[in-house]
């Protein structure tokens, strides 16, 4: 498992910034943001007139207002010139991606990242901004359709304020909720504010996204243990459904694992849970 911190160190060592390294984690954060507020981030790859890239760092998501405005821009462009296409360098940026940029900046590598907003604060994290590679082709139409251009210092960047301005905070909340779900013994405050407690945990998060690492063994107790005991019983290895993972339960687990060709260690981890049909 590669952590975000390891990925950052490797980017610094190789002098190559690639926020696509956290694609798996980013997908979980986008999905969780849409769990918090249904449909707040909409995929816009379906819009006509885009040259799509499969680069891992690109998340083609915007809020509905900017998405519809972009649809108008593209339609008008195609009407003017049928072959006209827009190439986007950056759209939605997750808090994990912004964290990478901010960390490289804060660790002093200004040659790699000259400037980076605090995670949660970039308008790319609100689903309100796009960076347009061929901006000179599209600038006039973007301006006509409600997009703002912030000048020659960042000429690819366009911003559309027809949406909520707190979606960056929702992204931070999404990360905090994910962390808490997968780290039951290390809970943090879900406040949507990316401070030190969030930065430390983001550094320890897996770049490919969170996976269940819980294991159940002799001494484990609770509802999941009951589910394990019930599933073992149903599978033909009857044990009392007591909620206490005892020697008898471990023996039944070993027999079950042996029958299913799993390593027969009597410990229930992700693989055995899956074969038992138990979802956490
Ligand atoms: Zn930008």
């Amino acid at each position: 498992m590669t952590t975000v911190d390891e990925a950052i160190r490797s980017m610094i060592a190789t002098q190559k910034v690639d926020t696509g390294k956290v694609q798996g984690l980013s997908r979980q954060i986008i999905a969780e943001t849409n769990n918090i507020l249904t449909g707040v981030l909409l995929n816009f790859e379906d819009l006509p007139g885009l040259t799509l890239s499969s680069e891992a760092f690109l998340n083609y998501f915007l809020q509905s207002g900017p998405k519809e405005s972009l649809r108008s821009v593209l339609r008008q462009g195609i009407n003017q010139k049928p072959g006209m296409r827009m190439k986007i360098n950056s759209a939605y940026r997750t808090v994990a991606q912004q964290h990478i940029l901010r960390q490289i900046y804060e660790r002093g590598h200004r040659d790699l990242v000259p400037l980076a907003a605090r995670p949660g604060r970039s308008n790319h994290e609100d689903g309100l901004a796009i960076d347009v590679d061929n901006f000179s082709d599209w600038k006039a139409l973007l301006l006509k359709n409600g997009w703002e251009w912030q000048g020659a210092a960042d000429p690819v960047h366009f911003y559309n304020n027809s949406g909520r301005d707190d979606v960056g905070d929702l992204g931070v909340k999404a990360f905090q909720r994910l962390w808490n779900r997968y780290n039951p013994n290390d809970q943090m405050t879900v406040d949507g504010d990316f401070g030190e407690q969030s930065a430390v945990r983001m550094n320890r998060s897996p770049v490919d996204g969170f996976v269940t690492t819980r294991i159940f063994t002799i001494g484990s107790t609770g509802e999941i243990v009951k589910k394990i005991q019930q599933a073992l019983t149903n599978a033909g290895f009857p044990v009392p459904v007591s909620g206490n993972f005892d020697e008898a339960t471990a023996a039944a687990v070993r027999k079950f694992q042996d029958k299913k060709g799993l390593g027969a260690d009597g410990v229930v981890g992700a693989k055995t849970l899956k074969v038992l049909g138990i979802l956490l």
Side-chain angles (χ1 to χ4, degrees):
M1 179 194 90
T2 306
T3 65
V4 171
D5 182 60
E6 286 163 351
I8 291 169
R9 285 165 191 270
S10 138
M11 287 177 214
I12 291 169
T14 58
Q15 298 279 294
K16 192 176 177 300
V17 178
D18 178 9
T19 63
K21 294 278 187 245
V22 287
Q23 186 185 39
L25 183 56
S26 286
R27 284 185 178 157
Q28 281 185 332
I29 291 168
I30 291 169
E32 187 65 12
T33 303
N34 277 330
N35 280 340
I36 295 174
L37 195 63
T38 305
V40 68
L41 291 172
L42 299 174
N43 188 285
F44 65 88
E45 287 172 62
D46 57 317
L47 296 182
L50 289 174
T51 300
L52 294 172
S53 151
S54 60
E55 300 232 51
F57 70 87
L58 254 166
N59 303 308
Y60 289 100
F61 288 87
L62 284 170
Q63 291 189 50
S64 62
K67 175 176 175 176
E68 289 315 309
S69 169
L70 185 60
R71 188 195 300 278
S72 303
V73 169
L74 291 164
R75 192 178 289 144
Q76 289 163 32
I78 294 166
N79 283 344
Q80 281 178 9
K81 208 171 122 194
M84 200 160 155
R85 294 287 176 272
M86 180 186 287
K87 182 166 183 278
I88 287 179
N89 290 340
S90 178
Y92 181 69
R93 197 181 291 155
T94 68
V95 62
Q97 293 179 302
Q98 189 67 25
H99 169 81
I100 288 174
L101 300 175
R102 180 71 177 189
Q103 286 281 307
I104 294 173
Y105 168 78
E106 279 186 351
R107 294 181 196 188
H109 303 277
R110 306 282 152 94
D111 50 333
L112 292 175
V113 179
L115 199 62
R118 209 180 137 194
R121 302 283 166 83
S122 158
N123 51 40
H124 281 281
E125 292 176 82
D126 282 327
L128 298 173
I130 49 174
D131 292 347
V132 179
D133 187 68
N134 51 342
F135 63 91
S136 54
D137 297 344
W138 290 96
K139 189 178 160 193
L141 282 175
L142 283 160
L143 294 181
K144 208 177 111 192
N145 286 276
W147 293 80
E148 292 166 24
W149 188 66
Q150 285 166 341
D154 189 6
V156 295
H157 185 87
F158 292 86
Y159 170 74
N160 186 306
N161 68 5
S162 62
R164 306 168 60 110
D165 64 1
D166 63 348
V167 175
D169 298 339
L170 291 182
V172 174
K173 241 181 211 175
F175 166 70
Q176 292 169 331
R177 280 168 48 138
L178 282 168
W179 175 274
N180 284 350
R181 187 175 307 146
Y182 289 93
N183 296 277
N185 300 320
D186 180 29
Q187 299 289 290
M188 68 166 141
T189 313
V190 178
D191 57 5
D193 182 43
F194 198 90
E196 193 53 26
Q197 60 147 3
S198 298
V200 165
R201 285 160 175 109
M202 181 66 85
N203 277 330
R204 282 161 42 201
S205 296
V207 294
D208 294 327
F210 293 102
V211 288
T212 298
T213 53
R214 290 182 73 184
I215 59 161
F216 300 88
T217 185
I218 291 174
S220 299
T221 57
E223 287 307 306
I224 311 278
V225 173
K226 278 190 187 171
K227 284 189 186 175
I228 291 168
Q229 291 167 327
Q230 188 61 58
L232 287 166
T233 301
N234 295 346
F237 304 95
V239 280
V241 181
S242 63
N244 294 316
F245 199 117
D246 52 11
E247 290 287 353
T249 306
V253 169
R254 273 193 296 271
K255 286 181 202 159
F256 175 79
Q257 289 170 325
D258 195 43
K259 185 185 165 194
K260 297 291 180 185
L262 304 160
D265 58 3
V267 175
V268 177
K271 242 190 239 167
T272 303
L273 281 172
K274 197 174 165 196
V275 179
L276 280 168
I278 297 170
L279 294 172
L280 293 191

